[in-house]
Amino acid sequence: MSARVAVVGSTNLDLVVTAPQLPKPGETVLGENFRTVPGGKGANQAVAAARAGAACDFVGAVGDDDFGGQLRASLAGSGVDVRGLRTVPGASGVALIAVDRAAENFIVVAPGANAALTDLDADDRATIAGADVLLLQLEVPLPTVVRAADWARAGGTTVVLNAAPAAPLPAELLDLVDVLVVNEHEAAIVAGVFADDPAQLLDALLELVPRVVLTLGARGAAYADRRGLRLSVPAPVIAAVDTTAAGDAFTGAFAVGWAERGGARDEDTVTASLRWACAAGAACAQRPGASTALPERAAIDALHDATYRGTP
């Protein structure tokens, strides 16, 4: 079935520089190339969902600067419905990103207009209620995230929270989450348990939410829920170029796959959603940039089939 995904989240202009290695504290490193790329976790995941085949609605805010127009045009050009994207006085959000030759990165975000997303209206509520999945992150004010999740729960919309940037979360939000998507660093902060064993992280997180997807980078992803289902899937083997938006590609595609397959009906449907999301993340990592690297559905399907076809 065709999926409808609503995203309430951030949009930033990414200022990206490549360098031989990432600088240590106090160190200056001579960079190689510079580019500007539309990004932000919310916008990236909206574009990822749209390119993966979903009808996607975005609720967010940009500034009235030149960057704001670029960000709006980028989302609309990727097939995202931007009727819920406000323009507010001041600067748009900006992310400063450095990427080294091993495809590792560090990111510093100045929220700008994202911090002004403090009011959701009746149109936003209708958008959320009309979606199969509401996709949330933590780059907009937390009360806004909670309100959106509460409206989703009231409207029967599945809440998928990507808890990034990582932070301890209030019970009022965790109680509204249907699926938590986190990497190992985020999992440790949310759970308050610092462990090297993914199983321990999953155990701790299931005390807080009913379902958890733990992304493991090149090792794939793991899943656990309170029904007792536990599984893991490997990631496609690729030569990574830039991992900046790979997590957003994974999360956006996972939301689409989850909606199309009817959620966690059984082990097969969960496995299929995870494999497809891993293929999306890997396809993204093969290209430089953030939103520009997010893969179309055909590319996800091709890498998925090449990796998992014939696998039980």
Side-chain angles (χ1 to χ4, degrees):
M1 72 174 194
S2 178
R4 178 167 289 277
V5 175
V7 180
V8 176
S10 62
T11 179
N12 300 315
L13 193 69
D14 294 347
L15 310 179
V16 185
V17 62
T18 59
Q21 68 273 338
L22 300 179
K24 301 178 180 65
E27 179 184 15
T28 298
V29 172
L30 187 63
E32 295 170 335
N33 299 302
F34 173 78
R35 64 188 184 278
T36 60
V37 184
K41 296 199 72 66
N44 285 348
Q45 291 176 19
V47 171
R51 291 184 180 173
C56 187
D57 301 284
F58 185 75
V59 177
V62 295
D64 58 2
D65 55 2
D66 290 342
F67 289 171
Q70 295 178 46
L71 293 168
R72 182 181 294 275
S74 174
L75 282 164
S78 296
V80 177
D81 190 319
V82 294
R83 284 177 290 181
L85 181 61
R86 292 99 158 119
T87 298
V88 300
S92 297
V94 172
L96 307 178
I97 302 173
V99 182
D100 69 14
R101 290 176 180 171
E104 294 299 325
N105 64 76
F106 73 70
I107 304 172
V108 179
V109 176
N114 297 303
L117 188 65
T118 56
D119 292 318
L120 299 179
D121 59 26
D123 289 339
D124 301 324
R125 184 165 190 163
T127 294
I128 291 168
D132 300 301
V133 171
L134 171 65
L135 192 49
L136 298 167
Q137 317 78 32
L138 300 174
E139 288 186 340
V140 297
L142 187 59
T144 303
V145 176
V146 173
R147 186 177 303 113
D150 187 45
W151 286 353
R153 175 62 58 84
T157 299
T158 297
V159 177
V160 176
L161 173 66
N162 176 214
L169 299 176
E172 63 177 332
L173 176 58
L174 291 167
D175 290 344
L176 298 168
V177 172
D178 294 299
V179 187
L180 180 69
V181 180
V182 283
N183 63 25
E184 291 171 283
H185 169 71
E186 293 154 359
I189 292 176
V190 172
V193 174
F194 293 86
D196 294 328
D197 182 4
Q200 292 182 36
L201 292 173
L202 290 170
D203 285 340
L205 289 169
L206 287 179
E207 297 292 324
L208 305 175
V209 295
R211 302 172 192 85
V212 180
V213 174
L214 182 64
T215 60
L216 303 169
R219 293 177 288 144
Y223 171 90
D225 64 31
R226 289 176 177 170
R227 299 180 303 172
L229 178 59
R230 296 255 179 157
L231 56 88
S232 61
V233 301
V237 177
I238 59 157
V241 173
D242 184 351
T243 60
T244 302
D248 294 331
F250 176 101
T251 304
F254 175 79
V256 176
W258 189 267
E260 289 183 348
R261 295 172 177 85
R265 294 200 311 270
D266 52 39
E267 182 174 349
D268 288 345
T269 58
V270 175
T271 299
S273 295
L274 289 176
R275 286 176 174 173
W276 203 62
C278 282
C284 179
Q286 291 178 301
R287 300 174 59 191
S291 60
T292 54
L294 295 166
E296 299 285 349
R297 189 178 184 106
I300 301 171
D301 286 341
L303 187 54
H304 172 276
D305 292 348
T307 302
Y308 305 110
R309 179 172 289 170
T311 302

